């Protein structure tokens, strides 16, 4: 279950990266002259865990917005060759978000397991107490019967 949910979450991150990169490409294409590219890039981002960097055709960073570090981040880079726009866009999403999600998932599973163990223990205890009470009652009846039979035999 944990692996399936982690895989699904990572697929969502990959789709989000693809969307961010393509939206950034469109934002750069329609960016009016005089408006900073960083503003166009910032308009695409929806979370502080996301980032965009625009590189020119020589690989020099031209503009950036949001998280720009690629350490511990999922990265998607696309190359753009549209008219006067030549370069690359690098979209990043921090893996801290994934790590937080998986940590919460682990805690939820641990809490659920603990609750199930405690509930199971309580149910087993209740049935055990009932069963022991029945056995004690039967033992007392047998003891009383054997005592009465012994008295009659004397």
């Amino acid at each position: 279950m944990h692996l399936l949910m982690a895989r699904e979450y990572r697929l969502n991150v990959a789709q989000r990266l693809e969307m961010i990169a393509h939206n950034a490409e469109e934002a750069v294409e329609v960016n009016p002259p005089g408006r900073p590219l960083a503003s166009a890039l910032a308009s695409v981002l929806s979370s502080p865990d996301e980032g965009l960097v625009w590189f020119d055709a020589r690989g020099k960073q031209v503009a950036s917005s949001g998280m720009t570090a690629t350490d511990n981040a999922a990265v998607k880079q696309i190359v753009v060759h549209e008219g006067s726009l030549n370069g690359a866009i690098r979209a990043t999403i921090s893996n801290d978000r994934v790590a937080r999600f998986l940590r919460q998932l682990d805690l939820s599973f641990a809490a659920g397991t603990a609750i199930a163990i405690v509930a199971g223990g309580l149910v087993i205890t209740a049935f055990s107490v009932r069963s022991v009470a029945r056995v004690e009652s039967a033992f007392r009846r047998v003891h009383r019967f054997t005592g009465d039979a012994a008295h009659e035999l004397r």
Side-chain angles (χ1 to χ4, degrees):
M1 179 74 161
H2 182 274
L3 292 175
L4 290 175
M5 293 185 84
R7 182 177 174 268
E8 181 68 27
Y9 194 82
R10 286 192 175 100
L11 284 174
N12 289 342
V13 167
Q15 290 170 346
R16 176 71 184 138
L17 278 171
E18 188 78 28
M19 188 174 75
I20 289 170
H22 287 291
N23 288 349
E25 180 181 3
E26 291 174 12
V28 169
E29 287 174 10
V30 299
N31 190 45
R35 180 178 179 214
L37 274 178
S39 298
L41 296 176
S43 68
V44 174
L45 302 176
S46 65
S47 165
D49 289 346
E50 300 172 347
L52 283 166
V53 181
W54 173 261
F55 296 96
D56 65 13
R58 294 180 311 259
K60 182 181 177 218
Q61 181 176 326
V62 177
S64 66
S65 184
M67 184 196 85
T68 58
T70 56
D71 294 341
N72 194 28
V75 178
K76 171 74 177 174
Q77 188 159 320
I78 61 171
V79 177
V80 179
H81 296 291
E82 303 266 338
S84 65
L85 293 176
N86 286 317
I89 296 172
R90 182 178 65 210
T92 56
I93 296 179
S94 172
N95 283 332
D96 292 342
R97 183 190 296 182
V98 176
R100 278 193 309 270
F101 170 76
L102 293 176
R103 202 171 319 120
Q104 288 173 342
L105 187 63
D106 287 342
L107 289 174
S108 298
F109 284 148
T113 302
I115 289 170
I117 289 171
V118 168
L122 292 174
V123 168
I124 289 171
T125 301
F127 282 124
S128 298
V129 167
R130 250 173 120 187
S131 297
V132 168
R134 287 182 183 160
V135 169
E136 284 179 346
S137 174
F139 182 74
R140 275 191 236 107
R141 283 194 306 258
V142 168
H143 186 57
R144 193 172 344 141
F145 173 77
T146 54
D148 291 346
H151 179 69
E152 290 295 324
L153 289 173
R154 285 189 209 149

